[in-house]
Amino acid sequence: MIETVNEISKLSIAHEIVVNQDFYMEDSVLPPNSLEGRIMETMYKAFWDHLKVQLSSTPADFTSALELLKEVKEILLSLLLPRQNSLRDEIEEALDIDLLKQKAEHGALDVPHLSNYILNLMTLLCAPVRDEAVRKLESITDPVQLLRGIFQVLGLMKMDMVNYTIQSLQPQLQEHSVQYERAKFQELLNKQPNLLDCTTKWLTKTALDLTTPPSSSPDSPSSSIVARSSPNWAVDNPQLPSSTMVLYQGYLNLLLWDLDSKEFPETLLMDRIRLRDMESQLKQLAILASVLLVARSFSGSALFSLTEFVNKLKHITKALMEEFNSRPEEAMVSVSEQVSQKIHERLKDMGLTALTSEKKASLRGQLQNIAKKENCVRSIIDQRIHLFLKGCLVRGMQESLLDFPVGLILIKRELTKLGWKFFNLMHHNQQVFSPYYDEILKDIIPSAQAQETEVESI
């Protein structure tokens, strides 16, 4: 079990580095009021207090200082690039622990001098973002406080180097990630033969939904019935979808999925949180587009040809929508008041006909109705967004952007950014797990029929 957990952890980290272009490592910060935080703070304080007592004693005791200098040396060496051999030799010589021990035994260890040498190295090696932190250390005169500050800033510099290394290796990691992730998943599958059960149910349900007209009758198949149905359920169906189209529709369905479901596809478990974020962003974009569409119908094209004004409405709507999930009606009341007021004021400023009281009331009413899931404008926008994302998978991003839906033009920048994220994530998933998907889908869709309708992969 421990071995499996370790393998999953390695696979998750490798996957995160590849699919998340903004990936970076950071030190975990314990809440100050937590038990762990209080324990760590007590331990740190005890160490630095002990160091102060040792250095203040007569003669000075350098035991803890030497241990600290040893660790500082290791961190400094870890910050060097492979080509910095001369600097590496210099550090090895200046911070030779054996030599420093001999000096300490004779009471000749000059801690302030060593601290200043370390500060000079930090100034040379640190990223620009750490320049100010290093400069602040130069004004500290207390040797213990200076060593403590040095140690803290070196920790940040070490994390900077880790993130720099990750960014440098990302292209190489991406090149080999497909084979690596597939190999690791196969190792897990060998240990757990049922590891694709939920993935099979997901694809089977998707294929059945694509060929079964929507039905509200009590006899309509449930997910549990689908899970038990024969994999050859569609042999006699003359309108079978291609395996690629089943997969793409399955990807889209994940944006409407209960992401807390225990039957979430195993091949996408590492992206569950990412998909949850995308689902939330899509919901916000649908509401934003609905607000802008309704607002434009009341103010005309003159206002909405002004990029600055449209951006202002976007900013207002996004800020007020932060409470939409918990209080949708109240959030949309605030949006309606602010948006209608801004439109009214701008129309007057431009010398155009301002909104009458009746139109302002009608505008606010229509904007507030967007809070309802069944709102027709919101439903249409939502359908168009999902159709655009499906086009991104089927036709590719470049072609989809050339034929961008007119009804979504007001959120083109936001939707394009999200579309690329979704496309890249699903493209990577398809590359990694396509052999498993093909194996599952060939039992769902007869191969001869599938070959006739197959569309080119991403």
Side-chain angles (χ1 to χ4, degrees), residues 86-135:
S86 59
L87 188 54
R88 185 181 302 275
D89 294 338
E90 179 189 318
I91 294 173
E92 289 283 5
E93 182 179 348
L95 296 177
D96 185 328
I97 301 302
D98 291 334
L99 182 59
L100 294 179
K101 282 182 180 179
Q102 292 178 20
K103 289 184 178 182
E105 290 171 359
H106 293 86
L109 185 64
D110 192 344
V111 174
H113 173 75
L114 289 171
S115 297
N116 287 328
Y117 172 74
I118 292 168
L119 275 179
N120 290 333
L121 283 175
M122 291 170 65
T123 302
L124 179 66
L125 297 173
C126 74
V129 71
R130 305 297 175 201
D131 284 343
E132 185 179 352
V134 175
R135 277 196 298 269

Side-chain angles (χ1 to χ4, degrees), residues 37-49:
R38 292 197 300 271
I39 291 174
M40 290 300 295
E41 181 62 28
T42 301
M43 290 174 62
Y44 278 126
K45 187 176 185 304
F47 172 80
W48 294 110
D49 287 347

